[in-house]
Amino acid sequence: MSDSYLRAPLPRKHTVAVDVGGVAVGGNAPVVVQSMTNTDTADIEATVRQVAALARAGSELVRITVDRDESAAAVPHIRDRLAARGVKVPLIGDFHYNGHKLLADHPACAEALDKYRINPGNVGFKDKKDTQFAAIVETAIRHDKPVRIGVNWGSLDQVLLTRLMDENAANGSPLTAQQVTREAIVQSALISAEQAEQIGLARSRIILSAKVSQVQDLIAVYTDLASRSNHALHLGLTEAGMDTKGIVASSAAMGVLLQQGIGDTIRISLTPEPGGDRTREVKVAQELLQTMGFRAFVPIVAACPGCGRTTSTVFQELAQKIQGDIREQMPVWREKYPGVEALNVAVMGCIVNGPGESKQADIGISLPGTGETPAAPVFVDGKKVATLRGASIADDFHKMVLDYVEQRYGGGKVGAAAE
């Protein structure tokens, strides 16, 4: 067999570690999952609820919009109410256009945040750009806060882009406009990082990002950025879109980069449906990292896709119930059952692959397919321990999963059930 079929992810590219409110980003730390609220930050209670929900879902960093005086004034109260609820997730302030003024006018906000995000494309314009950028960096130094310098091609520095376009036009072998834009994005991040370091912000307090909305552009930009810098990198496909489009595009782009060892923290930027669940982007980010083998967040529930042999919906309903219950219980299980995130459960629908797949799982069940004997063998740690029958198969197996978790991860021993 060719080695290409056995290829493991490349080692993480060495980056400088950054401490963000007690969460390590870069260095040898695991890839960190983050997300962003879509509430009006001035609405303190709504923002607290959403930050808490994102943290409960597993977001290890949460970014909030700080766009005006009211939102800046709300930040310390949001931090206090989160602390009262026992939510310790680091908060990142997202600043555009007026961040220098808001941080200066609201020192309590500057202190309450764990990191500031600056966009070089709109931190200031013309002769004000450098002074306003410097003001935010100096505030970060004064409060000992890290900064993400986040370039976005939707708000790219037009002075820089125009200069590079003009230089390219005068070149005897000009690049395409797309290639020049990619270079402008990379240069914007690197130039801004250099400016921040010259002002006095340590490299260990800087994270870079270079967001674009097309898969191949993201891969090209971050591959280039990683080759020219050892700053910690935040990955994300901006304006990825809704539902499966956003999930597929983000996973395709970031999967390639992560496989190459590029990326220290990620966000899946999904456009939610009106009133939709914001935590979905956290779950997708976790699933991306877990399916690629970088981290384990929740037990894996393997289930077959179904075919003409599985006309009953019992296995689908059981898989859905177990997976839903696991996610719901994980905030408690993480504390009560150390290591439970590595659990592997199989819910299979017929005799073709059911027994074999179930044996590979920690605990698995092979439900009867169409026309099969109405019996469901259960396997624990590779051994058949029971055969379930009757109308209560699903409930019985669900109880066995909960008992397995308690016995294996709660300090007891997994006992074999009677046949």
Side-chain angles (χ1 to χ4, degrees), residues 271-332:
T271 303
E273 297 178 359
D277 184 1
R278 192 66 166 180
T279 64
R280 190 181 187 198
E281 65 178 42
V282 178
K283 297 170 186 175
V284 174
Q286 289 179 329
E287 288 170 3
L288 173 61
L289 293 175
Q290 184 153 343
T291 54
M292 293 190 71
F294 294 114
R295 293 189 64 181
F297 295 96
V298 296
I300 293 174
V301 179
C304 67
C307 65
R309 290 176 176 270
T310 57
T311 53
S312 168
T313 61
V314 173
F315 84 94
Q316 299 163 327
E317 293 162 357
L318 179 56
Q320 184 180 49
K321 177 176 176 57
I322 290 175
Q323 186 164 280
D325 285 353
I326 285 173
R327 278 212 171 268
E328 182 66 26
Q329 293 295 325
M330 274 308 293
V332 174

Side-chain angles (χ1 to χ4, degrees), residues 260-271:
Q260 294 176 358
I262 298 170
D264 301 295
T265 176
I266 68 171
R267 180 191 173 202
I268 303 290
S269 300
L270 295 181
T271 303

Side-chain angles (χ1 to χ4, degrees), residues 19 43 45 52 54 71 113 115 125 137 140 159 172 184 187 278 286 290 311 317 356 365 381 397 415:
D19 182 283
D43 186 338
E45 189 54 38
L54 290 167
S71 60
L113 293 168
K115 187 177 77 171
F125 301 99
V137 171
V159 174
Q187 282 200 28
R278 192 66 166 180
Q286 289 179 329
Q290 184 153 343
T311 53
E317 293 162 357
I365 186 171
D381 296 331
F397 179 68

Side-chain angles (χ1 to χ4, degrees), residues 95-101 103 117-126 128-137 149-150 155 157 188 192 195:
F95 295 98
H96 297 273
Y97 305 107
N98 59 353
H100 62 291
K101 187 176 187 303
L103 287 168
R117 185 275 175 108
I118 311 174
N119 183 341
N122 58 33
V123 69
F125 301 99
K126 297 183 179 180
K128 293 183 179 180
K129 177 183 176 182
D130 290 345
T131 57
Q132 291 177 185
F133 178 85
I136 298 178
V137 171
I149 297 173
S155 50
D157 182 345
S188 179
S192 298
Q195 289 176 334

Side-chain angles (χ1 to χ4, degrees), residues 117-124 129-130 133 148-153 155-161 163-164 180-196 206-211 221 224-225 228 231:
R117 185 275 175 108
I118 311 174
N119 183 341
N122 58 33
V123 69
K129 177 183 176 182
D130 290 345
F133 178 85
R148 170 155 73 96
I149 297 173
V151 182
N152 190 306
W153 74 347
S155 50
L156 184 58
D157 182 345
Q158 293 302 299
V159 174
L160 173 63
L161 179 60
R163 177 173 63 79
L164 293 180
V180 176
T181 301
R182 289 173 176 174
E183 174 63 18
I185 292 168
V186 173
Q187 282 200 28
S188 179
L190 294 178
I191 291 170
S192 298
E194 183 179 1
Q195 289 176 334
I206 299 173
I207 297 173
L208 300 184
S209 66
K211 299 266 191 99
V221 165
D224 194 7
L225 186 58
R228 295 161 65 175
H231 289 90

Side-chain angles (χ1 to χ4, degrees), residues 67-116:
D67 58 345
R68 63 192 195 278
D69 287 312
E70 291 80 3
S71 60
V75 170
H77 301 290
I78 292 168
R79 165 60 68 205
D80 290 344
R81 292 195 193 183
L82 287 169
R85 294 187 181 196
V87 179
K88 301 177 182 179
V89 65
L91 289 180
I92 302 163
D94 192 62
F95 295 98
H96 297 273
Y97 305 107
N98 59 353
H100 62 291
K101 187 176 187 303
L102 293 175
L103 287 168
D105 292 346
H106 300 273
C109 169
E111 181 57 38
L113 293 168
D114 295 286
K115 187 177 77 171
Y116 311 152

Side-chain angles (χ1 to χ4, degrees), residues 40-55:
D40 178 359
T41 305
D43 186 338
I44 296 172
E45 189 54 38
T47 302
V48 167
R49 284 197 303 269
Q50 192 170 85
V51 171
L54 290 167

